[in-house]
Amino acid sequence: MALDETHDPQRTSWVASAQAHGEFPLQNLPLGVFSIDGDTPRGGMAIGDSILDLKAALAAGLFTGEAERAASAASGATLNPLLALGAAARLALRRRVFALLSAGDPAAGAAQKLAGNILHDAARCTMHLPSRIGAFTDFFAGIHHATNAGLRRNANPPLTPNYKSVPVAYHSRASSVRASGFPVRRPNGQHETAENQPEFGPSRKLDFELELGSWIGPGNALGDPVPIARAAAQVAGLCLLNDWSARDIQRWESAPLGPFLAKNFCTTVSPWIVTIEALAPFRIAQPPRPAGDPRPLDYLWHEGDQQNGAFDIELEAWLSTASMRAKNAPPQRIALSNTRHLYWTVAQMVAHHTCGGCNLEAGDLFGSGTISAPDQSGYGSFSELSFDGKQPLTLASGEKRAYLEDGDELTLRAHARREGRVSIGFGDCKGTVVTAV
Amino acid sequence: MALDETHDPQRTSWVASAQAHGEFPLQNLPLGVFSIDGDTPRGGMAIGDSILDLKAALAAGLFTGEAERAASAASGATLNPLLALGAAARLALRRRVFALLSAGDPAAGAAQKLAGNILHDAARCTMHLPSRIGAFTDFFAGIHHATNAGLRRNANPPLTPNYKSVPVAYHSRASSVRASGFPVRRPNGQHETAENQPEFGPSRKLDFELELGSWIGPGNALGDPVPIARAAAQVAGLCLLNDWSARDIQRWESAPLGPFLAKNFCTTVSPWIVTIEALAPFRIAQPPRPAGDPRPLDYLWHEGDQQNGAFDIELEAWLSTASMRAKNAPPQRIALSNTRHLYWTVAQMVAHHTCGGCNLEAGDLFGSGTISAPDQSGYGSFSELSFDGKQPLTLASGEKRAYLEDGDELTLRAHARREGRVSIGFGDCKGTVVTAV
């Protein structure tokens, strides 16, 4: 989308906590599903330290026309109906809520009077998954991670021959995706012993993966591929995604059909959908490919997407061990990366996923694959940070980490920043490892 | 379950077409979702050439107690609510419907009087998917197919080292599963040319896969593995499943994360859930493993399942080309196999799938993997039948087939037969290949 007044850095909200909030200023307005005091989950938008209750605002008569249709679609326990409406409805809702929450906007008076009814203290709310996820597809588009994974497999060259032609992906498990904060139980599973025997027990190589998630809408019909020129319009917004992985299980089970139990025990997402509209100021050209890399095949090539189809979003992984928390020591950042390190854009992922006719549905979730920076300071998994455990990371607390240990709390964060623009954030994507059953 | 009067071969139905029906005699009573004249889809049970309308029978007051609860759960547009109830409700429904449709049963009079309201001519009905499929997992448990696939990859030995320890599986795509009869569009996708260049276009190696499907219910909570002793109770019934595959796309895309677009353009299932209760007379011991094969690890080992956890079900694949149909020539059977050739039982698949905590949901679908017999007469895919196109099959019509061609109609069939028992069938699992877009 073109930038409009909803990106204007001069505009502020009458919700005081939204000023310089870092995550959820007036210019962000992410979509999510919340509940409060155990009541029915429903759609909301984050503003500062508050949540705008879309159902309550709708009931109060604050919406008309396309925005009313969108708010109505966001009033239920999942946002699938809103995602199904596509970009125009989402944009109408954004523009109307922006006006309602803007200091000095003619529309704001009515909303401000109703603040007690339509705004909730976010700290008192429970966040839920934003959609009933029909399918979760995980890509492998972080080229530095793909390279490191190849090195761990002793592959030479480390990237598979298809990597620069195919946005490699696999279907993962939708039923075990959970919103930030859900405890992550260490999985049991089969791994191979040093004596090449199969053994069943708790994973000894429990890992995180720093990924960007994409929420899909409106979707396409079976047999009706989405051409690359229209593919970006299938993405409603983004989130953080931690694709928890059990590397020992993965290594033993993956031949010949890929990862399965190593990934399906839990996946954590940040609960807010940061909309594509909010992210418009943070678009960048597809990062330059190394000299000699092939031009993508035609079905993956769109000039506009190449010029402005990627994102500049800073990504971080923070670790807090049980011992650190006991001593009130702050979490430690263990990785700093950026979505610039994706080899494929989200639009290319959509075009590829549907090129054979596969149907996407509103509320589907894509993972990007682990986004590692080129050097160790930005490796987005322990398999990379510790070189598969061979060089454990020494933390500021003095503890060492080859992989995640029980009690470890891992938090992903994301921020988009640009000179002259108001920074926005994604909110936390957090999980604490609990002991295997 | 133990055999009961619903398996009694002496019992017959007052629905005349059910006698010696071959597919749907009184002893089968499979569950499905149908509609007629474009009205609302709802649950039904096949009896001979008719469908018992469970919603109409419920409204007519033919059910009480547990059977009423089950019929009510089967009255909507999907059977997920019935599958969620588990075995006791399914069994109560089976016993009551058996009585209602049995010639000479005291309960039958009331039903027979209402026949015009509660029975529909199956030929006039449209069959739908029996559930909203939350997830579709495809296993690789046909050991002869796995061996042949390894030979095609030039792997030595052909089976991967994990094969006899791990019920290998991958997550596949639920959104593109369709009921028998849905046309299968040849997918476009990337393959590698003879000059090792990526190329985009229609698949040249479109294949079928002869599989057994399993419908899951009631499901388990995330983090709560299903122990092997209780795993069989998670399977409501079986179907046929054709996992259409594009072998050229598969070969190029699969490294390192497994098949994706090669499989997700369409999967066809037979629309009837043949219940585990109907299949009770056709149970067999886990087929003997070759001498020297390892005993499964404890979490996959259950004496009862080893003794009686597999099925003796005959499987067939039939091909009818456009030219054969134009000449009114009958379809040709190209494969005859049996579920005996599965290396893992469905209970073992459930125990494995959940051992790390992954949650199954009522209405999930498992594929078994292609079930090939040891010799070419029972190979369940063209990649095996034609040795990846190197030795095309010569049909009785004189045509040759390396892979499927546009206009080919492929039908899977299944029958369970045992001396002294009434044979039951699964109904057709059919699809016709249409030209790529």
Side-chain angles (χ1 to χ4, degrees):
Chain A
M1 70 173 292
L3 300 192
D4 65 15
E5 61 168 345
T6 68
H7 306 103
D8 183 347
Q10 305 304 323
R11 301 288 291 270
T12 58
S13 176
W14 52 261
V15 179
S17 64
Q19 266 55 268
H21 188 269
E23 304 281 324
F24 308 130
L26 180 64
Q27 287 76 4
N28 193 349
L29 301 178
L31 293 154
V33 171
F34 75 98
S35 62
I36 184 163
D37 299 333
D39 63 359
T40 314
R42 54 195 182 275
M45 288 172 106
I47 177 72
D49 294 337
S50 296
I51 295 176
L52 174 71
D53 185 330
L54 289 169
K55 190 177 179 183
L58 180 71
L62 294 176
F63 298 110
T64 58
E66 185 79 354
E68 182 179 14
R69 200 159 73 103
S72 175
S75 292
T78 75
L79 298 180
N80 299 72
L82 177 64
L83 297 171
L85 291 179
R90 211 165 52 235
L91 181 58
L93 183 64
R94 170 180 175 81
R95 287 184 171 153
R96 177 62 181 167
V97 170
F98 186 91
L100 290 170
L101 298 179
S102 285
D105 192 283
Q112 201 163 0
K113 256 181 275 179
L114 293 163
N117 291 329
I118 62 174
L119 290 180
H120 304 287
D121 177 3
R124 287 188 51 223
C125 295
T126 302
M127 295 304 299
H128 304 270
L129 283 179
S131 89
R132 185 192 60 69
I133 304 169
F136 163 33
T137 299
D138 203 14
F139 284 80
F140 194 52
I143 190 168
H144 305 303
H145 171 74
T147 302
N148 290 335
L151 292 170
R152 290 302 92 69
R153 282 196 311 273
N154 298 314
N156 184 14
L159 288 176
T160 51
N162 57 10
Y163 191 82
K164 292 179 175 180
S165 301
V166 178
V168 169
Y170 64 101
H171 295 293
S172 196
R173 183 84 191 177
S175 72
S176 52
V177 178
R178 291 292 180 271
S180 180
F182 192 87
V184 179
R185 190 168 291 285
R186 181 182 299 275
N188 287 297
Q190 279 194 44
H191 57 267
E192 194 180 23
T193 65
E195 296 75 35
N196 298 114
Q197 293 301 310
E199 188 176 70
F200 184 80
S203 169
R204 292 166 190 166
K205 293 187 174 181
L206 180 58
D207 204 352
F208 73 101
E209 290 196 335
L210 170 54
E211 300 197 19
L212 183 73
S214 302
W215 294 102
I216 300 299
N220 63 300
L222 182 59
D224 192 12
V226 179
I228 182 71
R230 294 207 302 267
Q234 287 288 346
V235 182
L238 306 180
C239 67
L240 284 159
L241 188 151
N242 186 344
D243 184 34
W244 306 94
S245 300
R247 301 295 177 198
D248 42 359
I249 297 172
Q250 185 174 355
R251 176 168 283 255
W252 175 230
E253 75 174 355
S254 289
L257 298 175
F260 178 54
L261 301 185
K263 303 277 194 172
N264 73 7
F265 57 93
C266 192
T267 304
T268 305
V269 291
S270 55
W272 293 104
I273 301 177
V274 178
T275 65
I276 289 298
E277 292 74 32
L279 288 161
F282 311 102
R283 290 281 196 174
I284 54 170
Q286 175 119 346
R289 297 178 172 211
D293 275 16
R295 200 195 89 151
L297 293 177
D298 284 347
Y299 81 101
L300 295 173
W301 176 268
H302 178 243
E303 193 59 38
D305 197 53
Q306 301 298 126
Q307 289 170 357
N308 199 31
F311 296 98
D312 175 11
I313 304 169
E314 198 178 273
L315 304 168
E316 299 170 295
W318 294 76
L319 179 67
S320 168
T321 69
S323 140
M324 287 158 69
R325 294 197 300 284
K327 292 173 189 157
N328 284 318
Q332 177 176 342
R333 189 171 74 186
I334 57 173
L336 171 61
S337 186
N338 193 293
T339 52
R340 290 172 179 272
H341 301 303
L342 291 172
Y343 194 79
W344 301 101
T345 67
V346 179
Q348 286 171 323
M349 296 177 197
V350 168
H352 183 66
H353 203 315
T354 63
C355 72
C358 181
N359 53 324
L360 305 180
E361 297 180 322
D364 282 357
L365 176 65
F366 286 3
S368 60
T370 306
I371 308 177
S372 292
D375 67 274
Q376 199 179 351
S377 68
Y379 285 172
S381 69
F382 267 112
S383 74
E384 296 166 87
L385 287 164
S386 75
F387 298 86
D388 191 25
K390 288 180 194 68
Q391 299 174 37
L393 207 64
T394 301
L395 304 176
S397 64
E399 298 171 275
K400 286 183 186 296
R401 280 297 178 278
Y403 280 98
L404 290 165
E405 299 194 2
D406 293 353
D408 283 357
E409 179 185 272
L410 199 292
T411 304
L412 306 182
R413 296 213 172 94
H415 294 91
R417 300 188 174 98
R418 181 169 282 192
E419 184 72 28
R421 294 289 164 192
V422 177
S423 302
I424 63 175
F426 279 46
D428 284 1
C429 177
K430 183 186 294 196
T432 304
V433 178
V434 299
T435 312
V437 270
Chain B
M1 70 173 292
L3 300 192
D4 65 16
E5 62 168 343
T6 67
H7 306 102
D8 183 347
Q10 305 303 323
R11 300 289 290 271
T12 57
S13 176
W14 53 262
V15 179
S17 64
Q19 266 55 268
H21 187 267
E23 304 282 324
F24 307 131
L26 179 64
Q27 287 76 5
N28 194 349
L29 301 178
L31 292 155
V33 171
F34 75 98
S35 62
I36 185 164
D37 300 332
D39 63 359
T40 314
R42 53 197 183 273
M45 288 172 107
I47 176 72
D49 294 336
S50 296
I51 296 175
L52 173 71
D53 186 330
L54 289 168
K55 189 176 178 182
L58 180 70
L62 293 175
F63 298 110
T64 58
E66 185 80 354
E68 182 179 14
R69 199 159 73 103
S72 175
S75 292
T78 75
L79 298 181
N80 299 72
L82 177 64
L83 297 172
L85 292 178
R90 211 165 53 235
L91 182 58
L93 183 64
R94 171 180 174 83
R95 286 182 171 154
R96 177 62 180 167
V97 170
F98 188 90
L100 291 170
L101 298 179
S102 285
D105 192 283
Q112 201 162 0
K113 256 182 274 178
L114 293 163
N117 291 329
I118 62 173
L119 289 180
H120 304 287
D121 177 4
R124 289 186 52 222
C125 296
T126 301
M127 295 303 300
H128 305 269
L129 282 179
S131 89
R132 186 192 58 70
I133 304 169
F136 163 34
T137 299
D138 202 14
F139 284 80
F140 194 53
I143 191 169
H144 305 304
H145 172 75
T147 302
N148 290 336
L151 292 170
R152 288 304 91 69
R153 284 196 312 273
N154 299 313
N156 185 13
L159 289 176
T160 51
N162 57 11
Y163 191 83
K164 292 180 174 180
S165 300
V166 178
V168 169
Y170 65 101
H171 295 293
S172 196
R173 183 84 192 176
S175 73
S176 52
V177 178
R178 291 292 179 273
S180 181
F182 192 88
V184 180
R185 191 168 291 285
R186 181 182 299 275
N188 288 296
Q190 278 194 44
H191 57 268
E192 194 180 24
T193 65
E195 296 74 36
N196 298 114
Q197 293 301 311
E199 189 176 70
F200 183 81
S203 170
R204 291 164 190 167
K205 293 188 173 181
L206 180 58
D207 204 353
F208 73 100
E209 289 197 334
L210 171 53
E211 301 198 17
L212 184 73
S214 302
W215 293 102
I216 299 299
N220 62 300
L222 182 59
D224 191 13
V226 179
I228 182 71
R230 295 206 302 268
Q234 287 287 346
V235 182
L238 306 180
C239 67
L240 284 159
L241 188 151
N242 186 343
D243 184 35
W244 306 94
S245 300
R247 300 295 177 198
D248 42 359
I249 297 172
Q250 185 174 353
R251 176 167 283 254
W252 176 230
E253 75 174 357
S254 289
L257 298 175
F260 179 54
L261 300 185
K263 303 278 195 173
N264 73 6
F265 57 94
C266 192
T267 305
T268 305
V269 291
S270 54
W272 292 105
I273 301 177
V274 178
T275 65
I276 289 299
E277 292 74 32
L279 289 161
F282 311 102
R283 290 281 196 175
I284 54 170
Q286 175 119 345
R289 297 179 172 211
D293 274 16
R295 201 195 88 152
L297 293 176
D298 284 346
Y299 81 102
L300 295 172
W301 175 268
H302 178 243
E303 193 60 36
D305 197 53
Q306 301 297 125
Q307 288 172 354
N308 199 32
F311 296 99
D312 176 9
I313 303 170
E314 198 176 274
L315 304 168
E316 299 170 293
W318 294 76
L319 179 66
S320 168
T321 68
S323 139
M324 287 158 68
R325 293 197 300 284
K327 293 174 187 156
N328 284 316
Q332 177 177 342
R333 189 171 74 186
I334 57 173
L336 170 62
S337 186
N338 192 293
T339 53
R340 290 172 179 272
H341 301 303
L342 290 173
Y343 195 80
W344 301 102
T345 66
V346 178
Q348 285 171 324
M349 295 177 198
V350 168
H352 184 65
H353 203 315
T354 62
C355 73
C358 181
N359 54 324
L360 305 179
E361 297 180 322
D364 281 357
L365 176 65
F366 286 4
S368 60
T370 307
I371 308 177
S372 292
D375 66 274
Q376 200 180 349
S377 69
Y379 285 172
S381 69
F382 267 112
S383 74
E384 296 167 88
L385 287 164
S386 75
F387 298 86
D388 192 25
K390 288 180 194 68
Q391 299 175 36
L393 207 63
T394 302
L395 304 175
S397 65
E399 297 171 276
K400 286 183 187 297
R401 279 298 178 276
Y403 281 97
L404 290 165
E405 299 193 2
D406 293 353
D408 284 358
E409 178 186 274
L410 199 292
T411 304
L412 307 181
R413 296 214 172 92
H415 293 90
R417 301 188 173 98
R418 181 169 280 191
E419 184 72 29
R421 294 289 164 193
V422 177
S423 302
I424 63 175
F426 279 47
D428 285 0
C429 177
K430 184 186 295 195
T432 304
V433 178
V434 299
T435 311
V437 268

